Amino acid sequence: MEISISTIPDNEFKKKYETESTLEFGKVFTDRMFLINYSNGQWENPRITKYGLLSLEPSAIALQYGQTIFEGQKAYRTKDGKLNLFRPNLNIERFNNSAKRMAMPEIPPEIYSDSLKVLLDLERDWAPKKVGSALYIRPTMIGTQGRLGVIPSDEYLFYIILSPVGPYFPEGFKPIKIWVSENYIRAAPGGTGYAKTGGNYAASLLIGKEALEKGYSQVLWLDAIHKKYVEEVGAMNIFFVYNDTLYTAPLDSGTILPGLTRKSVIQMAKDFGYSIKEQALSMDEIVEGTKNGSLQECFGAGTAASIAPVGCLRYQGKEHIINEFQIGEITQKIYDKLIGIQYGNIDDPYGWIVPV
Ligand SMILES: *Cc1c(COP(=O)(O)O)cnc(C)c1O
C-alpha cells in the first residue's frame, strides 16, 4: 500500500506535551492522522494528513444512526526509545468482529497494521516517557454516506488518531470506588455488547455522569435479564478473587466486551499458579463475600486503565468495602507483570510485544 503523506510546515507543528504528569486522558492529539476511504466495494486513497476536522454530510449514517466502531490500544515507550505495541493483532481481529456486527466492511489487517506503523513512526516523539503514560491509539470506522434510510452505508471512512495520555484515573494506581447500576443496563443477549460501537458508550453516559457526581469513578453493569450477575465495568472487564481463584464473567452471552487485557490477565494468573473460573457471580454472593471476608480482592482490567484495584462497590444504598480499601497482593502481582512486559522492563515470555 502506497500511503500519501502530506507535509506539515514547521511552524504548524503543535507544541509537544510539556508536563506529562498533567496529561489528561484523551484531550491532546498528535500532529498527524491516517485516513482511508471505502467506496464501490474498495479501500482507496490511504493518506496521512495533519490532524484536523473531518468534513461530513449532516445526514451521514454514522451521525444519524450510530454506524461507528473503534478500537483502543496503546504504544508504550521503552527505555531505549522504541514503541511497544501489545498484542496488536487481537485489536485488528476485534475491530473486524465489531465491523461485522455493525454491517460494515472489514478492514484488511495489513492496511490497519501497516498504516499504524507508518503513523507511529512519524509521531514517535509524542510518546510520553513516564511509566503509566503512553501514546493511546484510536482506530475508528464510520459510515459516511448521507442518506436517511435505515440501511448500512455504502461508504466508509477508516482513520487512526493518536493521543499522548497519562494515567486513566487521576488518582493513579489506587483503589477506585464503583457504582453498581441497578436500573440501567449496558447490553442484552443478541445486542451489541461485544462490539466497540459508539451506541454502547452513549447509553452509559447518563448513569456514568450520575455516578461521577456522587464520587464513583466507574459504573458496574449487571446482566440484562436477572439484573443480578456482574458483567463488566465502564471500559474494563472485572475480576474477583476468592480463595486464590480469579472469577470473571464468561464471554458466551455476547454481552461483554472481550478485552485483551482480560485475556492476558487470565494467562498470567494461570502461570502464577492461580485457578481461573470464567463464571458469572451474583451481587448477592459478592456482598456476602465482602461481609465474611472471603472476597479477597477485586480489580478491573482494560487498556485505558490497565489494572484498576477496586476498593468499594456501592449497591442497594450501601458501600461494600473490599480488602479494607487496599491494593491486593494478586492485583499488584498481575499489574507489575503486565506493566513490566508492556514497557519492556521484564522479559516477555509470551511474545505479546510488537516493537515499532
Ligand atoms: C475496550 C473495553 C474493555 C477492555 O478491553 P481491552 O482490550 O482490555 O482494552 C472492556 N470493556 C469495555 C466495555 C470496553 O469498551
Side-chain angles (χ1 to χ4, degrees):
M1 177 182 51
E2 190 72 44
I3 304 175
S4 116
I5 301 177
S6 12
T7 46
I8 306 181
D10 270 353
N11 62 356
E12 288 184 20
F13 281 106
K14 284 182 249 166
K15 257 205 177 136
K16 306 245 186 313
Y17 60 92
E18 275 161 358
T19 42
E20 282 187 24
S21 56
T22 62
L23 270 179
E24 265 185 83
F25 188 85
K27 287 208 168 160
V28 176
F29 296 93
T30 71
D31 291 298
R32 301 174 175 92
M33 60 182 178
F34 170 81
L35 307 126
I36 188 168
N37 293 88
Y38 181 91
S39 63
N40 302 316
Q42 296 219 44
W43 289 101
E44 55 194 26
N45 192 14
R47 59 203 185 275
I48 287 175
T49 66
K50 198 173 142 177
Y51 177 91
L53 302 183
L54 299 176
S55 160
L56 284 181
E57 297 224 30
S59 53
I61 306 243
L63 300 178
Q64 298 292 335
Y65 305 126
Q67 201 187 17
T68 69
I69 58 170
F70 64 93
E71 260 308 315
Q73 48 191 119
K74 278 177 175 172
Y76 306 88
R77 186 195 276 275
T78 65
K79 283 200 205 88
D80 56 7
K82 286 214 184 68
L83 297 183
N84 277 350
L85 294 175
F86 184 73
R87 313 186 78 177
N89 290 341
L90 295 180
N91 293 104
I92 302 181
E93 204 180 293
R94 187 170 65 192
F95 191 77
N96 280 334
N97 283 335
S98 298
K100 275 184 252 175
R101 179 63 183 85
M102 302 311 288
M104 299 167 102
E106 290 177 46
I107 183 96
E110 61 283 3
I111 293 184
Y112 186 131
S113 95
D114 292 355
S115 60
L116 177 57
K117 284 179 187 159
V118 175
L119 182 66
L120 282 175
D121 197 34
L122 287 165
E123 300 293 71
R124 178 177 299 279
D125 290 348
W126 278 93
K129 296 196 178 78
K130 233 169 63 189
V131 165
S133 304
L135 196 51
Y136 186 80
I137 302 164
R138 176 50 61 89
T140 308
M141 196 199 301
I142 58 176
T144 50
Q145 194 178 15
R147 192 191 52 212
L148 296 182
V150 185
I151 49 171
S153 180
D154 279 339
E155 290 161 11
Y156 295 87
L157 177 67
F158 170 86
Y159 58 88
I160 304 177
I161 53 178
L162 305 174
S163 170
V165 296
Y168 191 73
F169 296 115
E171 59 268 41
F173 187 60
K174 292 225 182 91
I176 56 168
K177 294 173 72 175
I178 284 182
W179 181 272
V180 181
S181 173
E182 290 165 42
N183 297 317
Y184 300 108
I185 55 135
R186 190 188 96 95
T192 58
Y194 67 88
K196 273 199 188 287
T197 183
N200 291 340
Y201 304 86
S204 77
L205 296 176
L206 178 60
I207 182 154
K209 178 170 157 255
E210 287 171 17
L212 261 187
E213 283 164 3
K214 297 189 174 100
Y216 297 84
S217 49
Q218 294 274 304
V219 171
L220 186 145
W221 300 103
L222 303 179
D223 77 288
I225 295 172
H226 312 277
K227 294 224 180 98
K228 186 171 155 187
Y229 296 102
V230 169
E231 299 225 309
E232 59 177 319
V233 182
M236 294 187 287
N237 298 110
I238 190 162
F239 287 82
F240 296 90
V241 185
Y242 287 85
N243 207 1
D244 289 352
T245 299
L246 281 74
Y247 290 78
T248 194
L251 300 177
D252 48 16
S253 63
T255 54
I256 290 174
L257 203 292
L260 54 105
T261 318
R262 173 188 183 279
K263 191 177 168 114
S264 310
V265 166
I266 291 175
Q267 183 69 55
M268 289 185 296
K270 276 186 187 153
D271 295 343
F272 278 134
Y274 302 116
S275 314
I276 296 281
K277 289 208 171 123
E278 293 185 56
Q279 183 184 311
L281 293 177
S282 70
M283 270 317 290
D284 290 346
E285 290 170 279
I286 289 164
V287 167
E288 191 52 36
T290 61
K291 286 192 181 139
N292 64 23
S294 59
L295 173 59
Q296 297 164 268
E297 300 180 28
C298 173
F299 62 89
T303 299
S306 87
I307 302 293
V310 176
C312 160
L313 296 172
R314 197 268 189 196
Y315 180 62
Q316 292 181 341
K318 284 209 190 95
E319 288 199 332
H320 302 279
I321 305 297
I322 299 163
N323 194 28
E324 296 171 350
F325 221 84
Q326 301 297 312
I327 300 172
E329 193 187 315
I330 296 173
T331 306
Q332 182 77 50
K333 234 161 118 176
I334 287 175
Y335 172 80
D336 289 342
K337 178 128 191 179
L338 180 68
I339 290 286
I341 292 175
Q342 288 172 333
Y343 287 89
N345 293 330
I346 59 172
D347 265 3
D348 167 20
Y350 304 109
W352 285 344
I353 293 300
V354 177
V356 177

